[in-house]
Coordinates of all heavy atoms in Angstrom, one line a residue:
E925 N 1.0 -8.5 12.4 CA 2.1 -9.4 12.8 C 3.3 -9.4 11.9 O 4.4 -9.4 12.4 CB 1.5 -10.8 12.9 CG 2.4 -11.8 13.5 CD 1.8 -13.2 13.6 OE1 0.5 -13.3 13.5 OE2 2.5 -14.2 13.8
K934 N 11.4 -1.8 15.7 CA 12.8 -1.5 15.3 C 13.1 0.0 15.4 O 14.3 0.3 15.4 CB 13.0 -2.0 13.8 CG 13.1 -3.4 13.6 CD 13.4 -3.8 12.2 CE 13.5 -5.3 11.9 NZ 13.7 -5.6 10.5
A954 N -0.9 -12.0 21.4 CA -0.2 -10.7 21.5 C 0.5 -10.6 22.9 O 1.6 -10.1 23.0 CB -1.1 -9.6 21.2
E955 N -0.2 -10.9 23.9 CA 0.4 -10.8 25.3 C 1.6 -11.7 25.4 O 2.6 -11.2 26.0 CB -0.7 -11.2 26.3 CG -1.8 -10.2 26.4 CD -3.0 -10.7 27.2 OE1 -2.9 -11.9 27.7 OE2 -4.0 -10.0 27.3
Y958 N 4.4 -10.4 22.4 CA 5.0 -9.0 22.5 C 5.0 -8.4 23.9 O 5.5 -7.3 24.0 CB 4.1 -8.1 21.5 CG 4.1 -8.6 20.1 CD1 2.8 -9.1 19.6 CD2 5.2 -8.8 19.3 CE1 2.8 -9.6 18.3 CE2 5.2 -9.2 18.0 CZ 3.9 -9.7 17.5 OH 3.9 -10.1 16.2
T968 N -11.8 1.4 24.9 CA -10.8 1.2 25.9 C -9.4 1.6 25.5 O -8.6 2.3 26.2 CB -10.7 -0.3 26.4 OG1 -12.0 -0.7 26.8 CG2 -9.7 -0.5 27.5
D971 N -9.3 5.4 25.3 CA -9.4 6.0 26.6 C -8.0 5.9 27.3 O -7.8 6.6 28.3 CB -10.4 5.3 27.5 CG -11.8 5.7 27.2 OD1 -12.0 6.8 26.5 OD2 -12.7 5.0 27.5
S983 N -10.7 -3.2 5.5 CA -10.7 -1.9 4.9 C -12.0 -1.1 5.1 O -12.0 0.1 5.2 CB -10.4 -2.0 3.4 OG -9.2 -2.7 3.2
I1001 N -2.2 6.1 12.1 CA -1.7 5.5 10.9 C -2.7 4.4 10.5 O -3.1 3.6 11.4 CB -0.3 4.8 11.2 CG1 0.7 5.8 11.7 CG2 0.1 4.0 9.9 CD1 1.0 6.9 10.7
K1047 N 15.4 8.7 -12.5 CA 15.9 10.0 -12.1 C 17.1 10.4 -12.9 O 17.3 11.6 -13.2 CB 16.1 10.0 -10.6 CG 16.6 11.4 -10.1 CD 16.8 11.3 -8.6 CE 17.3 12.7 -8.1 NZ 17.5 12.6 -6.6
N1060 N 4.1 -5.3 -13.1 CA 3.4 -6.6 -13.0 C 3.7 -7.3 -11.7 O 4.8 -7.4 -11.3 CB 3.8 -7.5 -14.2 CG 3.5 -6.9 -15.5 OD1 2.4 -6.6 -15.9 ND2 4.6 -6.7 -16.3
F1064 N 0.4 -17.2 -8.3 CA -0.8 -18.1 -8.1 C -0.9 -18.4 -6.7 O 0.0 -19.0 -6.0 CB -0.6 -19.4 -8.9 CG -1.8 -20.3 -8.9 CD1 -2.9 -20.1 -9.7 CD2 -1.9 -21.3 -7.9 CE1 -4.0 -20.9 -9.7 CE2 -3.0 -22.1 -7.9 CZ -4.1 -21.9 -8.8
K1071 N -4.9 -16.0 6.6 CA -5.6 -16.7 7.7 C -4.6 -16.9 8.9 O -3.5 -17.2 8.8 CB -5.9 -18.1 7.2 CG -6.6 -19.0 8.2 CD -7.0 -20.3 7.6 CE -7.8 -21.2 8.7 NZ -8.2 -22.5 8.1
G1074 N -7.9 -17.9 15.3 CA -8.7 -17.0 16.2 C -9.4 -15.9 15.5 O -10.2 -15.2 16.1
M1090 N -8.4 -7.5 -5.1 CA -7.1 -7.2 -5.4 C -6.9 -5.7 -5.7 O -5.8 -5.1 -5.5 CB -6.4 -8.1 -6.4 CG -6.3 -9.5 -6.0 SD -5.3 -9.7 -4.5 CE -6.5 -9.8 -3.2
D1093 N -6.5 -4.3 -2.5 CA -5.4 -4.8 -1.7 C -4.0 -4.4 -2.3 O -3.2 -3.7 -1.7 CB -5.5 -6.3 -1.8 CG -4.5 -7.0 -0.8 OD1 -3.8 -6.3 0.0 OD2 -4.4 -8.2 -0.8
H1097 N -0.9 0.1 -3.6 CA 0.6 0.1 -3.7 C 1.1 0.4 -5.1 O 2.0 1.2 -5.3 CB 1.1 -1.3 -3.2 CG 1.1 -1.5 -1.8 ND1 1.6 -0.6 -0.9 CD2 0.7 -2.6 -1.0 CE1 1.4 -1.1 0.4 NE2 0.9 -2.3 0.3
V1126 N -15.3 -10.7 -5.6 CA -14.4 -9.6 -5.8 C -13.3 -10.0 -6.8 O -13.2 -11.2 -7.2 CB -13.8 -9.2 -4.5 CG1 -14.8 -8.6 -3.5 CG2 -13.0 -10.3 -3.8
T1160 N 10.3 1.4 -21.3 CA 10.9 1.7 -22.5 C 11.0 3.2 -22.7 O 10.0 3.9 -22.5 CB 10.0 1.1 -23.7 OG1 9.9 -0.3 -23.5 CG2 10.7 1.4 -25.0
F1181 N 25.4 4.2 -24.3 CA 26.3 4.8 -23.4 C 27.5 5.2 -24.2 O 28.2 4.4 -24.8 CB 26.6 3.9 -22.2 CG 25.5 3.5 -21.4 CD1 24.8 2.3 -21.6 CD2 25.0 4.4 -20.4 CE1 23.7 1.9 -20.8 CE2 23.9 4.0 -19.6 CZ 23.3 2.8 -19.8
E1198 N 11.6 0.2 7.2 CA 11.6 0.9 8.5 C 11.5 2.4 8.3 O 11.1 3.1 9.3 CB 12.8 0.6 9.3 CG 12.9 -0.8 9.8 CD 13.4 -1.8 8.8 OE1 14.0 -1.3 7.8 OE2 13.1 -3.0 8.9
E1229 N -10.9 4.8 -7.9 CA -12.3 5.0 -8.2 C -12.6 5.0 -9.7 O -13.5 4.5 -10.2 CB -12.8 6.3 -7.5 CG -14.3 6.3 -7.4 CD -14.7 7.3 -6.3 OE1 -14.8 6.9 -5.1 OE2 -15.0 8.5 -6.6
A1230 N -11.7 5.7 -10.4 CA -11.8 5.7 -11.9 C -11.7 4.3 -12.5 O -12.4 4.0 -13.4 CB -10.8 6.7 -12.5

Side-chain angles (χ1 to χ4, degrees):
E925 185 180 344
K934 284 182 180 179
E955 291 169 3
Y958 304 115
T968 302
D971 285 339
S983 304
I1001 302 300
K1047 181 180 179 180
N1060 303 296
F1064 185 83
K1071 182 176 182 179
M1090 294 300 100
D1093 191 4
H1097 283 314
V1126 295
T1160 305
F1181 298 96
E1198 290 80 18
E1229 198 160 274

